[in-house]
Amino acid sequence: MSDFNDTNYEDDEDWVSKSQVKRDMIALQEIGEQLIGLKAAELAKFPLSQTMLDAIDESRRVKGHEGMRRHMQYVGKVMRNEDLEGIQREFDKLDTSSELFLRLQNQAERWRERLIKTKEAESQWIEENEGIEIQAFRAIVRGARKEQPDDPKAPIVAGKNSKKLLQIIRKKLFA
């Protein structure tokens, strides 16, 4: 008898094909390319390590095609150690067709409606969101209330202050 151990790799839970490893690596490189294409202000919202930020910064200095290809492989390697769920969550906030974006947008519109229609919502928002300039916020809410028709069942009118209020709410929710 021989000592040959005939194991079936496909039954092993930890076994991953070489093709799958390559597909995963290409997917990480594509996420890295998306990160490289972002502006600095948008990039600051992502949960990235200093190594990844350095790699992104370095990619902006690489000029040649072959150099960029090799650098993207490095970016893919660095991406293995990043918080992919957190990165995807931030991309979803930027993507207007994502479920998270739509949910946050709807939540912002509900908050705006509550702030305009009830005074209790105003104090609740101020309590929940520290660091807000209270006097300016209340002035915007007051202005948005004045823009609305007298009928309480009428839909919210998108006036100057109402839009500004929605921007403030979105800024807090999307942060």
Side-chain angles (χ1 to χ4, degrees), residues 6-120:
D6 187 24
T7 58
N8 189 354
Y9 289 110
E10 293 173 5
D11 291 340
D12 189 9
E13 293 177 15
D14 296 333
W15 183 80
V16 180
S17 70
K18 186 175 179 181
S19 298
Q20 184 60 44
V21 170
K22 284 185 176 183
R23 283 191 293 268
D24 293 345
M25 196 64 193
I26 290 170
L28 291 176
Q29 287 177 18
E30 289 172 355
I31 293 171
E33 283 181 37
Q34 290 176 334
L35 287 170
I36 289 169
L38 294 175
K39 297 175 185 168
E42 293 172 335
L43 197 59
K45 297 176 183 177
F46 284 79
L48 300 172
S49 66
Q50 188 59 42
T51 307
M52 186 65 200
L53 292 172
D54 292 342
I56 291 170
D57 189 43
E58 182 68 27
S59 71
R60 295 189 172 122
R61 290 191 290 268
V62 175
K63 298 293 181 204
H65 176 73
E66 183 63 19
M68 183 54 91
R69 184 191 67 78
R70 285 193 314 271
H71 187 71
M72 288 312 300
Q73 288 178 336
Y74 172 69
V75 167
K77 179 181 175 184
V78 173
M79 284 295 298
R80 289 185 220 160
N81 300 325
E82 297 297 321
D83 176 18
L84 295 177
E85 291 176 5
I87 292 171
Q88 188 58 50
R89 191 172 39 254
E90 292 300 321
F91 273 127
D92 287 345
K93 286 181 182 179
L94 296 175
D95 180 16
T96 57
S97 65
S98 74
E99 183 182 325
L100 178 62
F101 180 87
L102 294 174
R103 191 172 63 234
L104 289 173
Q105 182 66 23
N106 289 336
Q107 186 178 0
E109 289 173 2
R110 283 192 305 272
W111 261 111
R112 177 179 66 170
E113 187 173 336
R114 285 180 54 206
L115 286 166
I116 290 173
K117 292 189 177 186
T118 65
K119 296 206 181 259
E120 295 83 28

Side-chain angles (χ1 to χ4, degrees), residues 129-143:
N129 298 286
E130 295 178 14
I132 192 168
E133 195 174 319
I134 297 171
Q135 188 174 1
F137 179 74
R138 286 191 169 151
I140 292 169
V141 171
R142 213 174 17 256

